[in-house]
Amino acid sequence: MSTLPFRERSLAIAPLVLALTYAITGEAPPPARATNPFAESRLDASDRYELAGDVVSRLDAGSYVYFEIRDARGAHHWVATLAVTAPDHAHHVAASILGRARDFHSARLDRQFETLLFGFVTQEGPHAP
């Protein structure tokens, strides 16, 4: 049994899941990138954190989903996650933030993000006020 936490094990097997998804659906994978944004933006374990809030918007971009999340203080955060693990129709989510990139350009969306967070996003019920 692995000693890695479940979420880190999930991130480690994500490329295999994506490859199987492309093989089953017959969809062509996106063009190879020279770098992996998750790996490039990885935070040290002590800098990782949890973020929860309401989904303001969702952008589907191939193998990634971008969530705009408004936290309890009203601040907005963009979080990218793998499409195969992203919750559908979520109104309130929790995100385990594993990485952060500054001035990130998404070629697929043709959009620039001042700050883009990377992590696992899960659906959760709204918090009581």
Side-chain angles (χ1 to χ4, degrees):
M1 174 72 49
S2 175
T3 59
L4 289 175
F6 173 76
R7 289 186 175 174
E8 288 185 13
R9 284 194 317 251
S10 297
L11 187 58
I13 66 166
L16 176 61
V17 171
L18 286 174
L20 289 172
T21 301
Y22 292 128
I24 292 168
T25 64
E27 179 183 336
R33 289 185 56 157
T35 59
N36 177 334
F38 274 90
E40 282 185 349
S41 64
R42 190 178 81 181
L43 294 171
D44 290 333
S46 62
D47 294 327
R48 295 174 185 171
Y49 60 97
E50 300 295 316
L51 170 69
D54 296 318
V55 175
V56 175
S57 60
R58 173 188 168 124
L59 302 173
D60 293 292
S63 57
Y64 295 99
V65 175
Y66 295 72
F67 286 96
E68 181 183 8
I69 300 170
R70 182 179 52 241
D71 68 21
R73 295 182 324 243
H76 289 243
H77 311 269
W78 280 100
V79 180
T81 192
L82 295 171
V84 297
T85 63
D88 291 326
H89 313 295
H91 298 289
H92 193 81
V93 295
S96 295
I97 305 303
L98 305 174
R100 178 178 41 246
R102 305 269 187 225
D103 298 319
F104 182 86
H105 180 76
S106 167
R108 192 169 291 236
L109 294 173
D110 191 24
R111 180 172 177 162
Q112 191 77 19
F113 295 89
E114 183 178 325
T115 300
L116 181 63
L117 305 172
F118 294 93
F120 291 100
V121 177
T122 57
Q123 183 171 342
E124 72 173 29
H127 294 122

